[in-house]
Amino acid sequence: MASTAKTKEKDAGARERLMEATAQIMLEEGYAAATSRRVAARAGVRSALVYYYFPAMDDLFVAVMRAGADASLARMRQAISADEPLRALWTINTDPRWTGLYAEFVALANHRKVISAELKSYAERVRDIETAAATVALRAQGVDLNEYPPVAISMLVAQIARSLGNESAIGMTEGHEEMRELVERFLKRFASTEHAQAT
Amino acid sequence: MASTAKTKEKDAGARERLMEATAQIMLEEGYAAATSRRVAARAGVRSALVYYYFPAMDDLFVAVMRAGADASLARMRQAISADEPLRALWTINTDPRWTGLYAEFVALANHRKVISAELKSYAERVRDIETAAATVALRAQGVDLNEYPPVAISMLVAQIARSLGNESAIGMTEGHEEMRELVERFLKRFASTEHAQAT
DNA sequence: GTCTATAGACGGATAGAC
DNA sequence: GTCTATCCGTCTATAGAC
C-alpha cells in the first residue's frame, strides 16, 4: 500500500493532522489564530512543513473547508432518504462543530476571494440538497409547494439551526428554549410516518 | 463650545473618522484587515493617534460596536410603535451595512473575550426589544402567545433577515426570492392596521 | 492633538540540509 | 517527508518631539 493512501485510522499523516489542527484552532480562537506556526505546533510538526503540503495558507483553509463540506454533504444526502428529512436537516445544522467552522469560513470569505468562491460553491450544493429533502417532506404531507416553496422552508430550518449554534457560542441563549419547542412542533407535523394529521 | 463636543456634522474629529474608517474596513475586508495602520491611513492620520484615542485596538472595536448597536437599538425602539412592528424589524435586520458589521463582530468575538462580553450584552438588549415588537404585533392579531412565543417569532424574523444579508455578501442568492415572498405574505398577515383577516 | 521613530513580536514564505 | 535557518513584511504599542 502506498504511503499516501489512507493507512490506519489512528495516528494519521501530517497532512491530516495539519487539517485537523487548523479546524480546531479556527473553532477555539477564530480563523485569524490559525497561522502556519500555530497549526504546525498543534500538529506536532514544524511550520515549514505546512508549505510542503499546502503551497499557501489559503490552500490549507480550502482543504479544511472541502473536507468539512464533503462530510456534511454526505450526511445530508443520507438525510433525504431518512424517515424525517426535515428533522435530519435540523439535526445536522445544529452540530456545533460544523456550524462553528462554517461561521468562521463565512468571515474568512469576506476578505479572501479564493475562500469566497469555494464557500459559495459549497453553499449552493448544500442548499440544493436541503431543498430536495424539504421537497420530499412537504410533498408527503400534501403541502402546496407553490405556497410554501421547499427552498424557503429548507432555508428556514437550516438557518435557524445555525443561528442557535452561533449564539450559543457567545453565551447567548435567550429564547432558544422557546424556539426549539416551536421547531419541534413544526417537525412533528411533518414527520413522514404520519401521512394524515392525527389529533 | 468645547472642541470635544459634537461640532459640525461634516469633517468630524479624528476619533469619529477613525471609528468610521474601522467600520468601513471591517465591512470591505473583514475584521482582520482593520489594523491600527490601515484605519489610521483611511482616516487620514498616523497610526500612533489610534492609541491616543483608544488605549488598545480592542477598545476601538468595542467603540465601533457600541456606536452601531446604539443606532440599531434606537431604530428598533422606534419600530415598536411603528404601524407594522414586525416589518420594521425585518427592514432593520436587512440593512446590509449593519448585518455585515454584526457578522464581523460575531467572528471577532470568537477569540476576543472583551468583544464577546460586549456583543452578548448588546445581543440580549436587541432580543428584548425585538421581542417587545413581536409581542405587540402578535397580540394585535389575537395570536396565542403561548403557542407562538414572541421571542421565537422575533428570532425568526431577525435571523432570517440577517441570513439573507450574509449570503448575499458572498454572492449566494439561491432561494432568496422565494424567501422574501414567504416573509412578505407573513408580514401582511400581521399588519396591525388590519385587525381582522380581510380577503 | 498630532506627529516621527522605533522596539519587539509574530506572520507568510523560501532555501537548502538530511 | 521533515527539519533548521532565515528574509522580509506587518502588527501592536510606546516614547518623546512639536
Side-chain angles (χ1 to χ4, degrees):
Chain A
M1 320 225 173
S3 62
T4 43
K6 50 177 92 171
T7 49
K8 285 281 183 291
E9 303 295 326
K10 257 195 68 179
D11 196 35
R15 196 188 139 92
E16 281 67 39
R17 289 207 313 278
L18 282 169
M19 288 172 60
E20 177 56 26
T22 304
Q24 282 176 15
I25 292 177
M26 285 180 77
L27 270 173
E28 292 167 14
E29 305 173 68
Y31 72 81
T35 66
S36 57
R37 285 169 160 82
R38 310 253 327 244
V39 299
R42 184 175 290 222
V45 296
R46 297 293 164 175
S47 69
L49 199 59
V50 172
Y51 299 97
Y52 171 77
Y53 287 109
F54 309 96
M57 286 302 288
D58 277 0
D59 299 303
L60 170 55
F61 286 127
V62 168
V64 171
M65 185 163 75
R66 285 209 178 124
D70 287 345
S72 257
L73 283 170
R75 289 181 67 188
M76 286 185 196
R77 284 198 197 88
Q78 261 197 304
I80 302 181
S81 51
D83 210 36
E84 300 181 42
L86 283 180
R87 183 183 298 276
L89 219 65
W90 174 260
T91 306
I92 291 170
N93 280 298
T94 313
D95 175 3
R97 185 182 154 87
W98 174 242
T99 59
L101 265 185
Y102 188 80
E104 285 300 315
F105 280 121
V106 168
L108 232 189
N110 200 358
H111 65 292
R112 303 255 198 143
K113 286 174 188 169
V114 195
I115 308 287
S116 173
E118 194 71 21
L119 185 67
K120 184 188 171 192
S121 136
Y122 160 70
E124 282 170 347
R125 274 184 297 156
V126 167
R127 175 132 312 154
D128 288 343
I129 293 185
E130 288 178 340
T131 301
T135 306
V136 170
L138 296 177
R139 192 176 287 150
Q141 295 303 109
V143 173
D144 180 353
L145 299 190
N146 286 314
E147 197 178 2
Y148 296 100
V151 68
I153 301 299
S154 73
M155 279 182 75
L156 266 175
V157 173
Q159 299 284 20
I160 292 301
R162 286 190 204 122
S163 297
L164 291 185
N166 295 161
E167 289 191 356
S168 300
I170 60 166
M172 248 292 277
T173 57
E174 198 180 328
H176 284 206
E177 188 105 8
E178 291 89 336
M179 180 60 91
R180 265 183 240 280
E181 280 171 20
L182 190 67
V183 171
E184 186 55 38
R185 261 187 292 142
F186 172 79
L187 290 177
K188 276 199 179 119
R189 270 189 49 208
F190 289 94
S192 63
T193 42
E194 307 168 12
H195 280 241
Q197 51 272 62
T199 58
Chain B
M1 318 224 173
S3 62
T4 43
K6 50 177 92 170
T7 50
K8 286 281 181 292
E9 302 296 327
K10 256 194 69 177
D11 195 34
R15 193 188 141 93
E16 281 66 41
R17 288 207 312 279
L18 282 169
M19 288 173 61
E20 178 56 25
T22 304
Q24 282 177 15
I25 292 177
M26 285 180 77
L27 269 173
E28 291 167 14
E29 305 173 67
Y31 72 81
T35 66
S36 55
R37 285 170 160 81
R38 309 250 333 241
V39 299
R42 185 176 287 222
V45 296
R46 297 294 165 176
S47 69
L49 200 60
V50 173
Y51 298 97
Y52 171 77
Y53 287 109
F54 308 95
M57 285 302 289
D58 277 0
D59 299 304
L60 170 55
F61 287 127
V62 168
V64 171
M65 185 163 74
R66 285 209 178 122
D70 288 345
S72 256
L73 283 169
R75 289 181 67 189
M76 285 185 197
R77 284 197 197 90
Q78 263 196 305
I80 302 181
S81 51
D83 211 35
E84 300 181 43
L86 283 179
R87 183 182 298 277
L89 219 65
W90 173 259
T91 306
I92 292 171
N93 281 297
T94 312
D95 176 3
R97 185 182 154 86
W98 174 242
T99 58
L101 266 186
Y102 188 79
E104 285 300 317
F105 280 120
V106 168
L108 232 190
N110 200 357
H111 65 292
R112 304 255 198 142
K113 286 174 188 167
V114 195
I115 308 287
S116 174
E118 195 71 22
L119 185 66
K120 186 188 170 190
S121 136
Y122 161 70
E124 282 170 347
R125 273 184 299 156
V126 168
R127 175 130 313 151
D128 288 343
I129 294 185
E130 287 178 340
T131 302
T135 306
V136 169
L138 296 178
R139 191 175 287 149
Q141 294 304 110
V143 173
D144 181 351
L145 300 189
N146 287 315
E147 197 177 4
Y148 296 100
V151 68
I153 301 299
S154 72
M155 279 181 76
L156 265 175
V157 172
Q159 298 285 19
I160 291 302
R162 287 192 202 119
S163 297
L164 291 184
N166 294 161
E167 288 191 356
S168 299
I170 61 167
M172 247 292 276
T173 57
E174 199 180 327
H176 285 205
E177 189 106 5
E178 291 89 338
M179 180 59 92
R180 266 183 239 279
E181 280 170 20
L182 190 67
V183 171
E184 187 55 38
R185 261 188 291 140
F186 171 78
L187 291 177
K188 276 199 178 117
R189 269 190 49 208
F190 289 94
S192 64
T193 42
E194 306 168 12
H195 280 241
Q197 51 273 61
T199 58

